[in-house]
Amino acid sequence: MNARERILDAAASVMREHGVAHATTKQIARAAGYSEALLYKHFRDKEEILLHVLQERMPAFPGGAVPGEGTVEANLVAVAHGALRFYLHAFPMMASMVAQPHLMAAARETLTAYGAGPQHPVRMLADYLQAEQNLGRVSADSTPEAAAALLMGACFQQAFLRYFGGGPDFPESAAAGLVHGLIPALLP
């Protein structure tokens, strides 16, 4: 395993154990078995490390639903399953940051600079639903933005409840249950 991969593995572990707010680059470097100087040869700052951990060390957050392929319902189940798992695994890392307003403001600024943030999955899903609506596979009467917000919000809430309760990862049926309630409002 190369240094970059070891750093990301260590960062994921340290951030889950201490939260993003309390994880330091020194702890991450130590856990990876490297110096902080080597860490900075691969990443600009802790926020860039966090972004790569979220992209490369978390359950996939599928944004790859292709309009016109598969069924709308199956595509939404895949997106919801990925979202449930992603949110569940992100809570231990993000909770400390969200609880401190100055850290949240810094994270917001950094994520915006990197073109990332929690609004992106909702936007990607709304774009997918809009494309399906344009193809006639989603009802012309539905509102893609609202449907995307409802599904992602439900995934976030269910992941929080599972995290709070100390439950295990989600089975595929959990995503199907969330999508099933939304389908009558979406399909023509």
Side-chain angles (χ1 to χ4, degrees), residues 107-131:
R108 185 180 314 108
E109 184 178 317
T110 300
L111 290 173
T112 300
Y114 282 109
Q119 71 279 13
H120 289 283
V122 177
R123 180 75 262 149
M124 287 181 351
L125 183 56
D127 290 346
Y128 162 75
L129 290 170
Q130 181 65 59

Side-chain angles (χ1 to χ4, degrees), residues 37-121:
L38 181 68
L39 184 142
Y40 285 114
K41 286 184 180 183
H42 293 277
F43 303 97
R44 285 184 291 237
D45 51 30
K46 184 173 85 170
E47 288 76 16
E48 185 180 16
I49 295 170
L50 170 63
L51 285 175
H52 285 279
V53 165
L54 292 174
Q55 292 170 345
E56 301 173 36
R57 296 299 185 271
M58 296 288 288
F61 203 121
V66 179
E69 292 186 13
T71 67
V72 172
E73 185 169 4
N75 291 339
L76 291 178
V77 168
V79 168
H81 186 67
L84 286 166
R85 295 185 69 236
F86 179 87
Y87 290 138
L88 178 64
H89 291 267
F91 277 119
M93 288 193 276
M94 306 307 253
S96 62
M97 179 182 66
V98 173
Q100 298 179 38
H102 69 283
L103 292 175
M104 188 67 221
R108 185 180 314 108
E109 184 178 317
T110 300
L111 290 173
T112 300
Y114 282 109
Q119 71 279 13
H120 289 283

Side-chain angles (χ1 to χ4, degrees), residues 129-148:
L129 290 170
Q130 181 65 59
E132 290 285 20
Q133 191 175 50
N134 294 343
L135 293 171
R137 292 174 22 122
V138 165
S139 171
D141 295 332
S142 69
T143 307
E145 294 80 9

